[in-house]
Structures are given as C-alpha cells and as structure tokens.
Amino acid sequence: LDPEALRSAMSIVPQDIVLFDGTIAFNIGLGRPSVSRQDIEQAAKEVGADQFIKRLANGYDQEIKEQGANLSHGQRQLIAFARALARNPGLVILDEATSSIDPESERAIQSAIARILKGRTVIVIAHRLSTIRQCDRILVVDKGKIIESGKHDELIAQRGTYFGLHQAFV
C-alpha cells in the first residue's frame, strides 16, 4: 500500500490526547480545509461530544486552554473520538483510548466506540475488557504472541486467559 494513501484512510485515537491552542471546532477538524464545519458537528454528534460542547459558553467556538486544561479527561477523549471520525476514515485505531477515564466518562466513551465500530475497520488496543467486548474478533496477546482469538462469548467459554482476565475485573 502507498503509505500516504494508508495515512489518509485512517485515524488514531491515542491514550494521551493532544489538543492544540484554538477552538473545539479547530481541534476536531485539525484545521483541514477538507473537513467542513458540518463534518465537525456531525462527528461530535456521532460520538456524543455535542452534548457537552453545546453547553459551553461559545459552543464549538469555545477556546481550549493549553492541552485542554479547561476540559475534563472524558471531554478531551470525546473530542479525540470526534476528530477521528470527522474525516470518515475506513480504519480507526484506538490505542488504550479508555485507559485513564472515570467510570461515568467510560459510559459515554463506550457509546462513542459503539458508533465508531459501525461500518469501518477498527483496531482496538485495550486492557479494559469493557472497551473490546462488542468487537467482532478479539485477539489475546501475551509476550508478543496471539494466544487466543474469538468473540467475547467464545473466549469466555474457552475459560482461558481472556476468561481469567474477565473474572479478575468483573
């Protein structure tokens, strides 16, 4: 594959969110002319970020302080999810995207993830099993090797490593 074509077809939501000085709209669209205001607002609605954005004094034109200091971690995460969707990529990579959020934010994020999964390929790297439960295929990796593969229910039925992890965190 052409590396440029691959990069343009994918979005990544990392564990550590990077927000830039500018408005919420700028941070979702990353200043790309190809991403319209309508694309930005639609992406925010799809992941549930629109709810908190509309409550802000300036909505999508609200200035974000350095690294999003005026937003909660969950809000920053939702902006990152909206950013990932704004370009409507065919491939989304979620790299520990829910690792450091509180349980209340996790519910909103789980809902966002469910929307992201529809109609696209998503690679989810996660330790939280709640993040991957609805995935079509789960790969359990240990020491760099795939040791189990299947859907959530199948892996539970196997009573292997995944089952043990599930039991430890339920």
Side-chain angles (χ1 to χ4, degrees):
L1 292 173
D2 172 47
E4 188 60 35
L6 180 60
R7 277 191 223 81
S8 67
M10 65 184 254
S11 289
I12 299 173
V13 179
Q15 178 177 358
D16 298 320
I17 303 304
V18 176
L19 295 179
F20 302 97
D21 290 340
T23 65
I24 286 179
F26 173 82
N27 272 276
I28 292 173
L30 288 180
R32 291 185 178 105
S34 62
V35 180
S36 70
R37 179 66 173 241
Q38 183 179 350
D39 295 333
I40 290 166
E41 291 183 15
Q42 181 60 37
K45 284 178 188 164
E46 283 185 49
V47 300
D50 188 62
Q51 296 171 16
F52 87 83
I53 292 171
K54 285 189 171 180
R55 288 194 305 263
L56 299 172
N58 297 314
Y60 286 89
D61 296 315
Q62 180 74 40
E63 289 289 326
I64 293 179
K65 293 183 180 175
E66 187 174 338
Q67 285 304 309
N70 54 333
L71 301 172
S72 73
H73 187 76
Q75 290 170 331
R76 292 191 300 268
Q77 202 73 0
L78 287 171
I79 288 173
F81 281 118
R83 177 189 292 167
L85 285 186
R87 291 185 9 226
N88 194 23
L91 171 65
V92 177
I93 299 172
L94 305 179
D95 186 4
E96 290 290 353
T98 62
S99 65
S100 56
I101 57 172
D102 59 88
E104 184 177 322
S105 296
E106 185 179 5
R107 283 187 287 280
I109 300 289
Q110 292 304 327
S111 193
I113 290 172
R115 289 185 202 73
I116 287 172
L117 291 172
K118 290 183 181 171
R120 60 182 46 89
T121 300
V122 181
I123 298 172
V124 182
I125 302 161
H127 285 90
R128 281 190 181 186
L129 300 185
S130 59
T131 304
I132 60 173
R133 186 179 183 124
Q134 71 265 23
C135 293
D136 293 328
R137 184 170 179 213
I138 299 167
L139 303 175
V140 181
V141 179
D142 185 31
K143 297 177 184 152
K145 296 190 181 204
I146 298 171
I147 59 171
E148 294 176 7
S149 174
K151 292 181 178 259
H152 172 78
D153 292 337
E154 295 167 352
L155 293 171
I156 293 295
Q158 289 176 18
R159 301 184 77 80
T161 301
Y162 184 87
F163 175 78
L165 292 168
H166 182 266
Q167 293 303 107
F169 294 105
V170 173

